[in-house]
Amino acid sequence: MNTNELSVLTLNCWGLNFVSKKRRFRLKAIADAISHADHDIVTLQEIWMWEDFDYLKQQTQFTLPYAKCFYSGALGSGLAILSKYPIVSTSYFRYSLAGRPLKVFHGDFYVGKGCGSVCIEHPDIGVLEVFTTHLHAGYGKSDEYEGHRVSESWELANLLRSSAAQGRHVIATGDFNSIPTSHNYQLLKAHAFMSDSWLEIHQEELSHDSNTNNTNTNSMESSLHDTVQPLGITCNSPMNTWSNPEKFKQQPFSLGDRLDYIFYRKSSQLQCIRSCVAMTDHIPGTHMSFSDHFGVHSTFAIYDNAATMTTATQSDMPDPSRLSHPTYTWIEPSMLEEIRTIFKRDIVATRRTANLLLTLFVFLVVVLIVVYVIVIVLPVSLRVHEEGSLVTILVNTLGGLCVVAMAAIATICLIVGFVFGHTEQRALRQFELEVTTLLEGLNNNNTNRQSPQRNPASGNRSNDTDALLNL
């Protein structure tokens, strides 16, 4: 790798124990592939098992000698960052909202979803802070976790703003479970002032593809290899052997989604020069993809000063002197209103669920008392009859089991309905308050919106949106 370049790779490894297919074999193949590549920084998601991380560290001990895995939740965060350069500090921010305790098979609540970051001491540009995250998945067409994912993006955007305000170079990577038309994507671009490295390189060809995408659907289905790179598809691609084949029987035909990104704060010293979808080939000697996601690989040029930056490039950069101001943002007020509406909607839904659980708790307590009385009174009344002994045993046994089961369910309903239910409602209210406060600040201080720089997020959104809507 050229010393004036920085190579960054991100990949969701799909390393869930028991759930992920061929996990050990695939994770070893991923580790071997990374060890033979020439990357400066690698960020990974869904690397849950310590044996997989230990093997990865062993294989990359000479190429990426600095490796950190982040601790969180009952099962671990699943996030890791490897670096060629010294890591001088690490931190982990746990999101306020990340799943629900009753959604056991979703698992997000129990892994403590959040964002891991490391500060890397780069010999040319100084401190570089690298973030990696895995935002909440949608789980179905209804996407009941949209509010959670938006809140995670809001917290992440504020973290990135804070890092940039300290004068650090910032790179944010991971599986964001968000397409480029989402509020999450726009928060990171317009409020955190991050550039989408892949889109920056492929903007022109993506715009061209959006104009020609409807010409022949059958021809696109027959040339899947020619669509992954131009459209940046990282998940649910027909090219990936782990994608659900049922999705490709539906109409309209889906080419997949772009969910994985490498964002960065463009500066006078850091600019993306190449970006592509990575690890799209099969594991050598097999007909098996490395993971259910493809990776993203971006290469950044490192400049000594601002002289090499063009005027057009500088216009995409936020004003460094205003990064620390709370109301300095490129996000549109209309989008903030939409985000606030999402929080309000989820507050109502969360209150309804909490009230339902608390109502069930009261009902179970009443039934519990009735069953307890039956268990105590009925056997006593039957003792006067000789034939009542068998009935007494059955009543005691079944009644006792019912009491234990209902007591357990009632306790869960109380804890989840009252403790978690109220916690979730207050967290959503806090996010609504923060967005409302920003809107009020923008209305009271419009000069912060009168920046002479254009907002690149709004310009990029139209082309990227058109292309995705035409898939």
Side-chain angles (χ1 to χ4, degrees):
M1 175 60 61
N2 191 320
T3 55
N4 292 322
E5 294 182 357
L6 184 73
S7 173
V8 181
L9 172 74
T10 186
L11 176 68
N12 181 323
C13 298
W14 195 37
L16 295 164
N17 196 22
F18 302 119
V19 177
S20 302
K21 299 176 182 178
K22 303 290 184 179
R23 178 189 59 81
R24 286 189 178 88
F25 177 77
R26 289 188 303 97
L27 267 292
K28 287 184 177 181
I30 290 172
D32 294 340
I34 291 174
S35 67
H36 289 97
D38 191 13
H39 300 302
D40 298 308
I41 298 170
V42 174
T43 68
L44 302 173
Q45 304 84 47
E46 289 199 22
I47 182 163
W48 303 104
M49 305 303 296
W50 279 111
E51 62 181 278
D52 297 331
F53 182 65
D54 289 339
Y55 182 81
L56 177 68
K57 285 199 302 182
Q58 178 184 346
Q59 294 300 105
T60 60
Q61 59 183 317
F62 300 112
T63 54
L64 298 166
Y66 306 96
K68 303 296 178 183
C69 190
F70 299 92
Y71 300 86
S72 182
L75 302 176
S77 69
L79 304 176
I81 298 178
L82 298 89
S83 172
K84 176 181 178 181
Y85 304 105
I87 294 176
V88 295
S89 73
T90 65
S91 65
Y92 186 83
F93 179 88
R94 184 167 178 173
Y95 296 132
S96 301
L97 292 176
R100 299 185 174 99
L102 289 182
K103 303 287 186 177
V104 177
F105 292 104
H106 290 174
D108 299 80
F109 179 82
Y110 300 98
V111 302
K113 275 190 177 295
C115 178
S117 70
V118 300
C119 284
I120 295 172
E121 190 68 49
H122 192 277
D124 297 323
I125 59 176
V127 177
L128 167 67
E129 187 162 13
V130 179
F131 294 79
T132 188
T133 190
H134 185 190
L135 300 188
H136 208 300
Y139 297 109
K141 296 181 179 180
S142 62
D143 196 1
E144 61 179 294
Y145 294 109
E146 183 181 13
H148 283 215
R149 196 162 53 254
V150 172
S151 72
E152 292 166 1
S153 301
W154 174 261
E155 289 181 310
L156 177 57
N158 288 328
L159 286 174
L160 298 175
R161 285 171 63 97
S162 177
S163 179
Q166 297 178 60
R168 296 171 177 172
H169 301 282
V170 182
I171 294 177
T173 70
D175 176 3
F176 292 83
N177 274 312
S178 307
I179 61 175
T181 56
S182 65
H183 297 93
N184 317 304
Y185 180 89
Q186 294 302 316
L187 275 171
L188 295 172
K189 290 198 66 180
H191 191 55
F193 305 109
M194 302 296 283
S195 297
D196 178 350
S197 61
W198 181 90
L199 181 62
E200 194 171 89
I201 300 301
H202 299 274
Q203 178 66 64
E204 292 186 4
E205 60 184 280
L206 184 64
S207 177
H208 172 73
D209 289 342
S210 68
N211 295 326
T212 60
N213 205 31
N214 289 323
T215 55
N216 192 337
T217 303
N218 291 330
S219 65
M220 294 191 69
E221 293 182 30
S222 63
S223 57
L224 297 176
H225 289 268
D226 299 330
T227 60
V228 169
Q229 292 295 343
L231 296 177
I233 294 169
T234 62
C235 186
N236 297 324
S237 168
M239 274 184 59
N240 194 303
T241 61
W242 303 112
S243 295
N244 184 359
E246 295 299 321
K247 289 186 176 183
F248 311 128
K249 298 178 182 179
Q250 303 172 2
Q251 294 296 330
F253 184 78
S254 173
L255 294 173
D257 302 301
R258 187 157 83 96
L259 305 180
D260 305 78
Y261 304 88
I262 296 178
F263 294 101
Y264 79 108
R265 184 176 75 86
K266 186 180 296 185
S267 70
S268 60
Q269 293 182 286
L270 197 66
Q271 182 179 355
C272 184
I273 55 175
R274 293 186 298 275
S275 186
C276 66
V277 180
M279 303 191 77
T280 58
D281 295 332
H282 292 167
I283 297 173
T286 73
H287 296 286
M288 182 190 308
S289 296
F290 284 93
S291 172
D292 63 344
H293 282 240
F294 295 140
V296 180
H297 175 211
S298 294
T299 303
F300 302 90
I302 296 175
Y303 300 104
D304 294 332
N305 51 58
T308 54
M309 302 289 286
T310 65
T311 303
T313 300
Q314 291 177 341
S315 69
D316 291 343
M317 297 161 49
D319 184 351
S321 64
R322 300 169 66 186
L323 280 173
S324 60
H325 198 289
T327 58
Y328 179 54
T329 182
W330 282 339
I331 196 167
E332 299 296 331
S334 59
M335 180 161 290
L336 290 174
E337 290 286 1
E338 293 174 9
I339 291 173
R340 186 165 64 169
T341 300
I342 291 174
F343 290 146
K344 288 181 177 180
R345 179 201 66 197
D346 278 18
I347 289 172
V348 174
T350 300
R351 185 189 303 117
R352 186 186 304 115
T353 301
N355 290 340
L356 178 62
L357 289 171
L358 291 176
T359 301
L360 180 58
F361 164 74
V362 173
F363 172 76
L364 287 172
V365 169
V366 173
V367 175
L368 189 62
I369 294 173
V370 173
V371 173
Y372 184 76
V373 170
I374 293 175
V375 170
I376 297 298
V377 175
L378 187 60
V380 173
S381 64
L382 290 175
R383 284 174 187 168
V384 297
H385 305 287
E386 294 182 0
E387 65 274 8
S389 58
L390 179 60
V391 177
T392 300
I393 295 174
L394 290 175
V395 170
N396 284 333
T397 303
L398 296 178
L401 291 174
C402 289
V403 167
V404 171
M406 285 188 290
I409 296 173
T411 302
I412 293 173
C413 289
L414 177 62
I415 294 174
V416 176
F418 181 77
V419 179
F420 177 77
H422 285 73
T423 300
E424 185 177 15
Q425 289 177 57
R426 281 163 175 74
L428 288 166
R429 289 186 183 279
Q430 177 60 33
F431 288 123
E432 182 196 355
L433 174 63
E434 292 175 12
V435 173
T436 301
T437 303
L438 177 57
L439 276 168
E440 292 172 348
L442 292 176
N443 293 331
N444 295 332
N445 189 13
N446 288 329
T447 56
N448 286 322
R449 297 290 297 170
Q450 303 296 326
S451 173
Q453 307 167 52
R454 70 181 181 87
N455 177 357
S458 61
N460 288 346
R461 187 187 184 196
S462 61
N463 291 334
D464 211 2
T465 301
D466 291 341
L468 285 159
L469 291 179
N470 287 327
L471 289 184

